[in-house]
């Protein structure tokens, strides 16, 4: 089973090198790595070139945002399974992709996800939030839950059947995609009960109050456009479910 990992990047010279090397350090066979650079104006393209031996396909052209870039990566990929590693993030350990592969091989599964650590932007060993996802069920979506998108791996045939990211949803495009695939079409989903990724704090949807309000609005719209009734109190439940993640971060110990 071939796994394609896609990184979309724009002006991330300070972190893109460690992200690329994180993929290169994986103990995985049959791995394809695609980097999509939206015409960065800093040293990003230079760092990508310096690490070209770790990259299968490099795309450098203008895009309309991260989800447009991820769609380009999906189109360029040749793997059986597709996942993403954002340009600020890195894998938790060198066996992440093998854990993902093993879960897919364990049964009839269309998608896999795991746990996520939010870490300090300057010190990736300092944990801010520990997102312990828990076992999957469609019902949990209606309670404001969602799997951490950066840990989600999906069979390419699912994207072929149901489409990729809707760029008109802005920073909520990942949520809309998961609602469409998991709640509407109810694809088969498996859970890896281990941390798969470390994400530096400061994602686009949380970058400002305005972005957070827009994302909340689009979260509700994600249900409507898919012909589903939005959960009652969605705007309240999603933020509330994040609170335990800050508390559990204190008890999590890096190995």
């Amino acid at each position: 089973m071939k796994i394609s990992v896609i990184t979309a990047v724009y002006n991330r010279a300070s972190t893109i090198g460690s992200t690329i090397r994180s993929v290169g350090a994986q103990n995985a066979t049959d791995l394809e790595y695609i980097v999509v650079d939206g015409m960065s104006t800093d040293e990003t393209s230079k760092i990508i070139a310096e690490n070209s031996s770790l990259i299968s396909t490099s795309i450098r052209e203008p895009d309309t945002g991260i989800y447009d870039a991820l769609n380009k990566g999906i189109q360029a990929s040749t793997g059986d399974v597709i996942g993403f590693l954002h340009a600020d993030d890195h894998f938790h350990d060198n066996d992440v992709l093998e854990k993902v592969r093993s879960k897919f091989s364990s049964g009839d599964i269309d998608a896999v996800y795991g746990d996520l650590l939010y870490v300090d932007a300057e010190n990736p060993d300092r944990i801010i939030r520990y997102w312990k996802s828990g076992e999957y069920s469609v019902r949990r979506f209606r309670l404001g839950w969602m799997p951490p998108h950066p840990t989600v791996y999906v069979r390419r045939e699912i994207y072929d059947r149901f489409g990729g990211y809707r760029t008109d949803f802005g920073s909520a495009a990942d949520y809309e995609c998961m609602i469409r695939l998991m709640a509407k079409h109810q694809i088969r989903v498996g859970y890896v009960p281990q941390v798969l990724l470390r994400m530096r704090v400061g994602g686009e949807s949380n970058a400002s109050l305005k972005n957070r309000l827009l994302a909340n609005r689009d979260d509700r719209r994600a249900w409507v456009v898919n012909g589903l009734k939005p959960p009652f109190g969605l705007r309240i439940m999603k933020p509330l479910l994040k609170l335990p993640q800050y508390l559990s971060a204190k008890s999590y110990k890096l190995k």
Side-chain angles (χ1 to χ4, degrees):
M1 184 180 69
K2 185 177 183 178
I3 299 179
S4 296
V5 176
I6 301 166
T7 294
V9 59
Y10 181 73
N11 287 352
R12 286 293 184 269
S14 62
T15 59
I16 186 62
S18 63
T19 299
I20 295 172
R21 290 188 291 273
S22 176
V23 178
Q26 286 295 296
N27 298 319
T29 57
D30 212 2
L31 166 64
E32 176 183 59
Y33 185 37
I34 300 171
V35 177
V36 185
D37 177 13
M39 298 300 290
S40 295
T41 57
D42 62 0
E43 295 293 305
T44 293
S45 62
K46 177 182 177 182
I47 296 171
I48 292 172
E50 291 172 348
N51 291 276
S52 61
S53 64
L54 303 176
I55 300 170
S56 308
T57 302
S58 180
I59 301 171
R60 177 173 164 82
E61 61 186 36
D63 57 54
T64 60
I66 184 172
Y67 294 104
D68 181 32
L70 294 182
N71 282 337
K72 290 180 180 182
I74 293 173
Q75 290 298 315
S77 67
T78 61
D80 304 294
V81 168
I82 300 171
F84 308 102
L85 185 66
H86 297 321
D88 291 328
D89 309 338
H90 60 276
F91 289 121
H92 183 57
D93 58 54
N94 295 343
D95 293 317
V96 166
L97 295 181
E98 282 305 302
K99 294 170 186 174
V100 169
R101 189 194 309 274
S102 176
K103 188 64 178 180
F104 272 106
S105 300
S106 68
D108 295 329
I109 295 174
D110 298 314
V112 163
Y113 69 95
D115 298 338
L116 171 69
L117 293 179
Y118 283 86
V119 298
D120 184 86
E122 302 299 326
N123 178 14
D125 288 332
R126 178 173 173 261
I127 303 170
I128 307 297
R129 288 165 55 188
Y130 170 29
W131 189 342
K132 186 173 180 60
S133 309
E135 292 291 342
Y136 172 81
S137 75
V138 174
R139 177 179 172 275
R140 295 185 69 195
F141 270 105
R142 303 205 64 83
L143 300 176
W145 176 88
M146 64 182 284
H149 175 254
T151 72
V152 175
Y153 289 77
V154 179
R155 291 191 184 274
R156 72 168 303 107
E157 64 192 61
I158 296 298
Y159 287 124
D160 291 341
R161 288 172 60 190
F162 303 124
Y165 294 100
R166 288 188 48 163
T167 56
D168 59 316
F169 269 80
S171 63
D174 55 353
Y175 184 67
E176 188 282 326
C177 187
M178 285 188 285
I179 290 297
R180 178 169 15 104
L181 300 184
M182 298 181 185
K184 179 180 181 179
H185 296 292
Q186 298 194 19
I187 65 173
R188 301 162 299 181
V189 182
Y191 170 50
V192 177
Q194 299 179 53
V195 173
L196 301 183
L197 200 75
R198 297 190 208 179
M199 169 183 276
R200 288 179 172 87
V201 294
E204 180 181 352
S205 64
N206 297 305
S208 69
L209 177 60
K210 178 182 178 181
N211 283 358
R212 187 61 260 166
L213 292 174
L214 288 173
N216 284 342
R217 180 200 66 185
D218 287 334
D219 286 348
R220 187 180 189 281
R221 188 162 66 95
W223 291 82
V224 175
V225 299
N226 285 295
L228 302 171
K229 183 179 180 181
F232 178 77
L234 179 63
R235 294 185 180 186
I236 298 174
M237 290 303 298
K238 279 192 71 181
L240 285 178
L241 287 173
K242 296 179 181 179
L243 294 179
Q245 298 172 14
Y246 290 95
L247 297 175
S248 59
K250 297 179 180 179
S251 60
Y252 187 88
K253 301 294 183 184
L254 287 174
K255 297 179 181 179

